[in-house]
Amino acid sequence: MIIAESPTLRLRSLQESDLPVFHAYRADPQLCRYQDFEPLSERQSRDFIKSQQNIDLSRAGEWMQIGMESRAEGQLIGDCALLFWAEDPRIGELGITLAPQYHGRGLAQQCGELLLRTLFTTTLTHKLMAYIDLRNAASIRLVERLGFHREGRSRKSCYDTADQAWVDEWQYGILREDFIPPA
């Protein structure tokens, strides 16, 4: 299922054929370092992909993973996590994970812009939030370029298993009117 497309990217459901690429980056401890997930085994990656093949943007209360495909290469290059709150599905959280070989090309920003445009124009989304480890400078730059506003600091809210320590996170948010100004 295709969710959105741009000239360079396609946001779509994950597919079984994505397994080698998905597992390669989701098993990378360096990539997982500032994320709130641990490296996955191949079986966990396979099971995860199977659980995410039927994306429904109206689903609330559970995380969805949307595949990010390079249209030029025709293959998965990363994924987007999306959760609409069960208490109020007009508010959501998101995250973007990009395979390391695609870092530094502006693809995460293109993906973020495409996802924000899609959610703010085709759904009832009012606000999207992102929680980012204070040490993750690249993700901080990304959400700020996308127009997110820093709203607060969550003290020792995420456990870093590599450092065996609790770490702080920044809370960022963007409103529909921040992205699509009222007419």
Side-chain angles (χ1 to χ4, degrees):
M1 171 183 168
I2 296 173
I3 294 157
E5 291 184 289
S6 73
T8 55
L9 296 176
R10 177 176 290 131
L11 300 182
R12 59 165 174 78
S13 298
L14 292 170
Q15 304 166 1
E16 288 182 34
S17 60
D18 294 329
L19 179 62
V21 173
F22 180 84
H23 178 65
Y25 68 83
R26 283 297 190 113
D28 181 347
Q30 283 304 109
L31 184 94
C32 298
R33 179 76 193 274
Y34 300 123
Q35 309 263 1
D36 62 354
F37 56 81
E38 296 294 316
L40 298 177
S41 69
E42 186 171 349
R43 181 181 179 144
Q44 288 171 316
S45 294
R46 184 180 306 105
D47 291 346
F48 187 82
I49 287 172
K50 283 182 185 176
S51 76
Q52 297 295 313
Q53 289 182 335
N54 296 310
I55 298 298
D56 177 1
L57 293 180
S58 66
R59 184 173 67 198
E62 62 183 88
W63 285 99
M64 295 174 268
Q65 220 69 27
I66 300 168
M68 183 190 336
E69 177 184 303
S70 162
R71 291 187 71 185
E73 296 178 27
Q75 78 167 16
L76 187 76
I77 61 170
D79 58 79
C80 311
L82 182 61
L83 168 74
F84 290 109
W85 291 2
E87 312 81 53
D88 189 341
R90 295 170 296 180
I91 299 174
E93 298 177 37
L94 67 85
I96 297 173
T97 303
L98 191 62
Q101 65 267 34
Y102 297 98
H103 289 185
R105 298 186 193 181
L107 294 167
Q109 182 168 346
Q110 289 178 43
C111 173
E113 290 167 353
L114 181 58
L115 187 59
L116 291 174
R117 186 176 319 106
T118 301
L119 294 173
F120 285 138
T121 61
T122 67
T123 71
L124 297 176
T125 304
H126 164 70
K127 180 178 185 173
L128 292 167
M129 298 176 10
Y131 295 88
I132 302 173
D133 185 315
L134 268 62
R135 303 168 298 171
N136 190 345
S139 288
I140 290 168
R141 285 190 305 272
L142 171 64
V143 295
E144 289 177 351
R145 281 193 312 266
L146 289 171
F148 281 73
H149 299 274
R150 187 178 294 174
E151 297 181 338
R153 183 176 184 148
S154 216
R155 295 177 55 228
K156 296 187 177 187
S157 57
C158 187
Y159 189 74
D160 181 339
T161 55
D163 288 344
Q164 296 188 354
W166 288 96
V167 296
D168 294 0
E169 293 179 298
W170 288 122
Q171 175 185 320
Y172 281 88
I174 187 168
L175 301 171
R176 177 191 301 265
E177 61 254 29
D178 294 336
F179 193 77
I180 304 170

